Amino acid sequence: MESGPAIFAGLVFALFGSGLLVWTTVRVRQRRPVAQGVSPVASATLAGLVSVIALTLGTWCFTRL
């Protein structure tokens, strides 16, 4: 019964992390800004870091099943 919330949270983290990582990669490869008004290197680094953290949290949730 308690595996339902873990599956939901893991799925949400995994989808968000993978979507953000793909979006950031596409923006960087097209040499377009990831965030307006911020250094391109800093915004790409922060977005990449957040996406890796979200993917790690999703993996952690799935290991708790």
Side-chain angles (χ1 to χ4, degrees), residues 17-59:
S18 60
L20 182 61
L21 187 61
V22 167
W23 181 79
T24 303
T25 303
V26 168
R27 296 293 284 190
V28 168
R29 290 187 77 173
Q30 293 177 349
R31 302 214 188 278
R32 300 187 69 187
V34 176
Q36 294 287 20
V38 183
S39 166
V41 175
S43 62
T45 303
L46 183 62
L49 182 65
V50 169
S51 65
V52 168
I53 290 171
L55 286 171
T56 304
L57 283 172
T59 303

